PDB file of all heavy atoms in Angstrom:
ATOM      1  N   GLY L  10       0.781  -1.226   0.000  1.00 95.00           N
ATOM      2  CA  GLY L  10       0.000   0.000   0.000  1.00 95.00           C
ATOM      3  C   GLY L  10       0.817   1.281   0.000  1.00 95.00           C
ATOM      4  O   GLY L  10       2.053   1.269   0.079  1.00 95.00           O
ATOM      5  N   VAL L  11       0.108   2.403  -0.067  1.00 95.00           N
ATOM      6  CA  VAL L  11       0.777   3.711  -0.102  1.00 95.00           C
ATOM      7  C   VAL L  11       1.382   4.072   1.245  1.00 95.00           C
ATOM      8  O   VAL L  11       2.197   4.993   1.331  1.00 95.00           O
ATOM      9  CB  VAL L  11      -0.173   4.840  -0.567  1.00 95.00           C
ATOM     10  CG1 VAL L  11      -0.606   4.633  -1.999  1.00 95.00           C
ATOM     11  CG2 VAL L  11      -1.368   4.965   0.367  1.00 95.00           C
ATOM     12  N   SER L  12       1.034   3.352   2.294  1.00 92.00           N
ATOM     13  CA  SER L  12       1.593   3.639   3.617  1.00 92.00           C
ATOM     14  C   SER L  12       3.085   3.332   3.689  1.00 92.00           C
ATOM     15  O   SER L  12       3.721   3.637   4.691  1.00 92.00           O
ATOM     16  CB  SER L  12       0.832   2.875   4.700  1.00 92.00           C
ATOM     17  OG  SER L  12       0.796   1.490   4.425  1.00 92.00           O
ATOM     18  N   VAL L  13       3.648   2.748   2.633  1.00 92.00           N
ATOM     19  CA  VAL L  13       5.102   2.625   2.539  1.00 92.00           C
ATOM     20  C   VAL L  13       5.735   4.018   2.576  1.00 92.00           C
ATOM     21  O   VAL L  13       6.859   4.195   3.033  1.00 92.00           O
ATOM     22  CB  VAL L  13       5.492   1.868   1.246  1.00 92.00           C
ATOM     23  CG1 VAL L  13       6.984   1.917   1.001  1.00 92.00           C
ATOM     24  CG2 VAL L  13       5.028   0.415   1.340  1.00 92.00           C
ATOM     25  N   GLY L  14       5.003   5.020   2.096  1.00 91.00           N
ATOM     26  CA  GLY L  14       5.400   6.407   2.263  1.00 91.00           C
ATOM     27  C   GLY L  14       6.493   6.898   1.338  1.00 91.00           C
ATOM     28  O   GLY L  14       6.345   6.850   0.110  1.00 91.00           O
ATOM     29  N   PRO L  15       7.605   7.362   1.892  1.00 91.00           N
ATOM     30  CA  PRO L  15       8.641   8.016   1.069  1.00 91.00           C
ATOM     31  C   PRO L  15       9.271   7.131   0.004  1.00 91.00           C
ATOM     32  O   PRO L  15       9.927   7.649  -0.902  1.00 91.00           O
ATOM     33  CB  PRO L  15       9.685   8.443   2.119  1.00 91.00           C
ATOM     34  CG  PRO L  15       8.912   8.574   3.389  1.00 91.00           C
ATOM     35  CD  PRO L  15       7.879   7.490   3.323  1.00 91.00           C
ATOM     36  N   ASP L  16       9.126   5.823   0.108  1.00 91.00           N
ATOM     37  CA  ASP L  16       9.705   4.938  -0.914  1.00 91.00           C
ATOM     38  C   ASP L  16       9.095   5.173  -2.287  1.00 91.00           C
ATOM     39  O   ASP L  16       9.671   4.785  -3.305  1.00 91.00           O
ATOM     40  CB  ASP L  16       9.533   3.462  -0.520  1.00 91.00           C
ATOM     41  CG  ASP L  16      10.452   3.074   0.629  1.00 91.00           C
ATOM     42  OD1 ASP L  16      11.237   3.930   1.076  1.00 91.00           O
ATOM     43  OD2 ASP L  16      10.382   1.915   1.081  1.00 91.00           O
ATOM     44  N   GLY L  17       7.899   5.750  -2.344  1.00 91.00           N
ATOM     45  CA  GLY L  17       7.323   6.170  -3.612  1.00 91.00           C
ATOM     46  C   GLY L  17       6.526   5.123  -4.356  1.00 91.00           C
ATOM     47  O   GLY L  17       6.386   3.979  -3.926  1.00 91.00           O
ATOM     48  N   GLY L  18       6.018   5.547  -5.519  1.00 92.00           N
ATOM     49  CA  GLY L  18       5.080   4.729  -6.279  1.00 92.00           C
ATOM     50  C   GLY L  18       5.629   3.404  -6.749  1.00 92.00           C
ATOM     51  O   GLY L  18       4.874   2.435  -6.907  1.00 92.00           O
ATOM     52  N   THR L  19       6.932   3.296  -6.983  1.00 92.00           N
ATOM     53  CA  THR L  19       7.493   2.023  -7.436  1.00 92.00           C
ATOM     54  C   THR L  19       7.392   0.952  -6.367  1.00 92.00           C
ATOM     55  O   THR L  19       7.331  -0.239  -6.679  1.00 92.00           O
ATOM     56  CB  THR L  19       8.970   2.180  -7.832  1.00 92.00           C
ATOM     57  OG1 THR L  19       9.710   2.686  -6.714  1.00 92.00           O
ATOM     58  CG2 THR L  19       9.124   3.111  -9.031  1.00 92.00           C
ATOM     59  N   HIS L  20       7.378   1.362  -5.103  1.00 94.00           N
ATOM     60  CA  HIS L  20       7.353   0.403  -3.994  1.00 94.00           C
ATOM     61  C   HIS L  20       6.001   0.340  -3.293  1.00 94.00           C
ATOM     62  O   HIS L  20       5.824  -0.480  -2.391  1.00 94.00           O
ATOM     63  CB  HIS L  20       8.438   0.755  -2.977  1.00 94.00           C
ATOM     64  CG  HIS L  20       9.810   0.356  -3.387  1.00 94.00           C
ATOM     65  ND1 HIS L  20      10.368   0.760  -4.581  1.00 94.00           N
ATOM     66  CD2 HIS L  20      10.738  -0.422  -2.773  1.00 94.00           C
ATOM     67  CE1 HIS L  20      11.591   0.252  -4.678  1.00 94.00           C
ATOM     68  NE2 HIS L  20      11.836  -0.464  -3.604  1.00 94.00           N
ATOM     69  N   GLN L  21       5.070   1.189  -3.672  1.00 95.00           N
ATOM     70  CA  GLN L  21       3.746   1.200  -3.047  1.00 95.00           C
ATOM     71  C   GLN L  21       2.820   0.267  -3.822  1.00 95.00           C
ATOM     72  O   GLN L  21       2.158   0.667  -4.774  1.00 95.00           O
ATOM     73  CB  GLN L  21       3.204   2.635  -3.015  1.00 95.00           C
ATOM     74  CG  GLN L  21       4.008   3.550  -2.111  1.00 95.00           C
ATOM     75  CD  GLN L  21       3.654   5.014  -2.273  1.00 95.00           C
ATOM     76  OE1 GLN L  21       2.852   5.381  -3.125  1.00 95.00           O
ATOM     77  NE2 GLN L  21       4.255   5.874  -1.471  1.00 95.00           N
ATOM     78  N   MET L  22       2.759  -0.971  -3.386  1.00 97.00           N
ATOM     79  CA  MET L  22       1.990  -1.984  -4.104  1.00 97.00           C
ATOM     80  C   MET L  22       0.503  -1.827  -3.798  1.00 97.00           C
ATOM     81  O   MET L  22       0.060  -2.048  -2.670  1.00 97.00           O
ATOM     82  CB  MET L  22       2.461  -3.380  -3.702  1.00 97.00           C
ATOM     83  CG  MET L  22       1.837  -4.493  -4.518  1.00 97.00           C
ATOM     84  SD  MET L  22       2.163  -4.277  -6.283  1.00 97.00           S
ATOM     85  CE  MET L  22       1.803  -5.896  -6.923  1.00 97.00           C
ATOM     86  N   VAL L  23      -0.265  -1.433  -4.805  1.00 97.00           N
ATOM     87  CA  VAL L  23      -1.704  -1.223  -4.624  1.00 97.00           C
ATOM     88  C   VAL L  23      -2.520  -2.130  -5.543  1.00 97.00           C
ATOM     89  O   VAL L  23      -3.714  -1.907  -5.745  1.00 97.00           O
ATOM     90  CB  VAL L  23      -2.080   0.257  -4.856  1.00 97.00           C
ATOM     91  CG1 VAL L  23      -1.437   1.142  -3.799  1.00 97.00           C
ATOM     92  CG2 VAL L  23      -1.694   0.727  -6.249  1.00 97.00           C
ATOM     93  N   GLU L  24      -1.889  -3.167  -6.060  1.00 98.00           N
ATOM     94  CA  GLU L  24      -2.589  -4.117  -6.939  1.00 98.00           C
ATOM     95  C   GLU L  24      -2.557  -5.540  -6.394  1.00 98.00           C
ATOM     96  O   GLU L  24      -3.086  -6.464  -7.012  1.00 98.00           O
ATOM     97  CB  GLU L  24      -1.955  -4.124  -8.339  1.00 98.00           C
ATOM     98  CG  GLU L  24      -1.760  -2.759  -8.980  1.00 98.00           C
ATOM     99  CD  GLU L  24      -0.396  -2.179  -8.666  1.00 98.00           C
ATOM    100  OE1 GLU L  24       0.627  -2.882  -8.842  1.00 98.00           O
ATOM    101  OE2 GLU L  24      -0.344  -1.028  -8.231  1.00 98.00           O
ATOM    102  N   ASP L  25      -1.922  -5.751  -5.253  1.00 98.00           N
ATOM    103  CA  ASP L  25      -1.647  -7.106  -4.773  1.00 98.00           C
ATOM    104  C   ASP L  25      -2.888  -7.895  -4.386  1.00 98.00           C
ATOM    105  O   ASP L  25      -2.970  -9.099  -4.639  1.00 98.00           O
ATOM    106  CB  ASP L  25      -0.667  -7.069  -3.604  1.00 98.00           C
ATOM    107  CG  ASP L  25      -1.108  -6.117  -2.497  1.00 98.00           C
ATOM    108  OD1 ASP L  25      -1.457  -4.962  -2.801  1.00 98.00           O
ATOM    109  OD2 ASP L  25      -1.107  -6.528  -1.320  1.00 98.00           O
ATOM    110  N   ILE L  26      -3.867  -7.231  -3.768  1.00 98.00           N
ATOM    111  CA  ILE L  26      -5.085  -7.964  -3.397  1.00 98.00           C
ATOM    112  C   ILE L  26      -5.772  -8.497  -4.643  1.00 98.00           C
ATOM    113  O   ILE L  26      -6.213  -9.649  -4.686  1.00 98.00           O
ATOM    114  CB  ILE L  26      -6.047  -7.072  -2.588  1.00 98.00           C
ATOM    115  CG1 ILE L  26      -5.395  -6.641  -1.270  1.00 98.00           C
ATOM    116  CG2 ILE L  26      -7.353  -7.803  -2.304  1.00 98.00           C
ATOM    117  CD1 ILE L  26      -6.228  -5.646  -0.469  1.00 98.00           C
ATOM    118  N   ALA L  27      -5.839  -7.662  -5.682  1.00 98.00           N
ATOM    119  CA  ALA L  27      -6.449  -8.096  -6.944  1.00 98.00           C
ATOM    120  C   ALA L  27      -5.691  -9.271  -7.546  1.00 98.00           C
ATOM    121  O   ALA L  27      -6.298 -10.246  -8.004  1.00 98.00           O
ATOM    122  CB  ALA L  27      -6.497  -6.929  -7.931  1.00 98.00           C
ATOM    123  N   LEU L  28      -4.370  -9.182  -7.553  1.00 98.00           N
ATOM    124  CA  LEU L  28      -3.553 -10.255  -8.124  1.00 98.00           C
ATOM    125  C   LEU L  28      -3.767 -11.572  -7.382  1.00 98.00           C
ATOM    126  O   LEU L  28      -3.895 -12.638  -7.995  1.00 98.00           O
ATOM    127  CB  LEU L  28      -2.073  -9.873  -8.075  1.00 98.00           C
ATOM    128  CG  LEU L  28      -1.610  -8.742  -8.994  1.00 98.00           C
ATOM    129  CD1 LEU L  28      -0.149  -8.401  -8.705  1.00 98.00           C
ATOM    130  CD2 LEU L  28      -1.786  -9.130 -10.459  1.00 98.00           C
ATOM    131  N   MET L  29      -3.793 -11.507  -6.070  1.00 98.00           N
ATOM    132  CA  MET L  29      -3.936 -12.727  -5.277  1.00 98.00           C
ATOM    133  C   MET L  29      -5.375 -13.240  -5.287  1.00 98.00           C
ATOM    134  O   MET L  29      -5.618 -14.446  -5.328  1.00 98.00           O
ATOM    135  CB  MET L  29      -3.477 -12.476  -3.836  1.00 98.00           C
ATOM    136  CG  MET L  29      -2.007 -12.141  -3.698  1.00 98.00           C
ATOM    137  SD  MET L  29      -0.890 -13.470  -4.224  1.00 98.00           S
ATOM    138  CE  MET L  29      -0.394 -12.858  -5.847  1.00 98.00           C
ATOM    139  N   ARG L  30      -6.319 -12.325  -5.260  1.00 98.00           N
ATOM    140  CA  ARG L  30      -7.733 -12.718  -5.183  1.00 98.00           C
ATOM    141  C   ARG L  30      -8.185 -13.512  -6.405  1.00 98.00           C
ATOM    142  O   ARG L  30      -9.027 -14.409  -6.307  1.00 98.00           O
ATOM    143  CB  ARG L  30      -8.578 -11.451  -5.014  1.00 98.00           C
ATOM    144  CG  ARG L  30     -10.067 -11.689  -4.953  1.00 98.00           C
ATOM    145  CD  ARG L  30     -10.820 -10.400  -4.661  1.00 98.00           C
ATOM    146  NE  ARG L  30     -12.208 -10.565  -5.037  1.00 98.00           N
ATOM    147  CZ  ARG L  30     -12.782 -10.044  -6.107  1.00 98.00           C
ATOM    148  NH1 ARG L  30     -12.085  -9.258  -6.915  1.00 98.00           N
ATOM    149  NH2 ARG L  30     -14.040 -10.273  -6.374  1.00 98.00           N
ATOM    150  N   VAL L  31      -7.622 -13.216  -7.560  1.00 98.00           N
ATOM    151  CA  VAL L  31      -8.076 -13.855  -8.791  1.00 98.00           C
ATOM    152  C   VAL L  31      -7.524 -15.269  -8.946  1.00 98.00           C
ATOM    153  O   VAL L  31      -8.021 -16.037  -9.779  1.00 98.00           O
ATOM    154  CB  VAL L  31      -7.683 -12.986 -10.012  1.00 98.00           C
ATOM    155  CG1 VAL L  31      -6.201 -13.113 -10.320  1.00 98.00           C
ATOM    156  CG2 VAL L  31      -8.537 -13.319 -11.230  1.00 98.00           C
ATOM    157  N   LEU L  32      -6.533 -15.650  -8.146  1.00 98.00           N
ATOM    158  CA  LEU L  32      -5.903 -16.960  -8.312  1.00 98.00           C
ATOM    159  C   LEU L  32      -6.736 -18.079  -7.689  1.00 98.00           C
ATOM    160  O   LEU L  32      -7.103 -18.007  -6.510  1.00 98.00           O
ATOM    161  CB  LEU L  32      -4.516 -16.957  -7.665  1.00 98.00           C
ATOM    162  CG  LEU L  32      -3.433 -16.161  -8.389  1.00 98.00           C
ATOM    163  CD1 LEU L  32      -2.192 -16.037  -7.516  1.00 98.00           C
ATOM    164  CD2 LEU L  32      -3.097 -16.811  -9.725  1.00 98.00           C
ATOM    165  N   PRO L  33      -7.026 -19.135  -8.432  1.00 98.00           N
ATOM    166  CA  PRO L  33      -7.701 -20.290  -7.852  1.00 98.00           C
ATOM    167  C   PRO L  33      -6.893 -20.853  -6.679  1.00 98.00           C
ATOM    168  O   PRO L  33      -5.657 -20.866  -6.710  1.00 98.00           O
ATOM    169  CB  PRO L  33      -7.763 -21.286  -9.018  1.00 98.00           C
ATOM    170  CG  PRO L  33      -7.713 -20.437 -10.245  1.00 98.00           C
ATOM    171  CD  PRO L  33      -6.809 -19.294  -9.893  1.00 98.00           C
TER     172      PRO L  33
END
């Protein structure tokens, strides 16, 4: 998530729930 803070957009993973949720 964005709570990673200063590390910025490259390290703020905001797609992971979607990626994991879709997997059987």
Side-chain angles (χ1 to χ4, degrees):
V11 295
S12 55
V13 171
D16 288 358
T19 58
H20 283 55
Q21 294 169 356
M22 187 58 163
V23 295
E24 310 91 50
D25 52 311
I26 297 174
L28 291 174
M29 296 297 102
R30 179 175 161 255
V31 76
L32 288 170

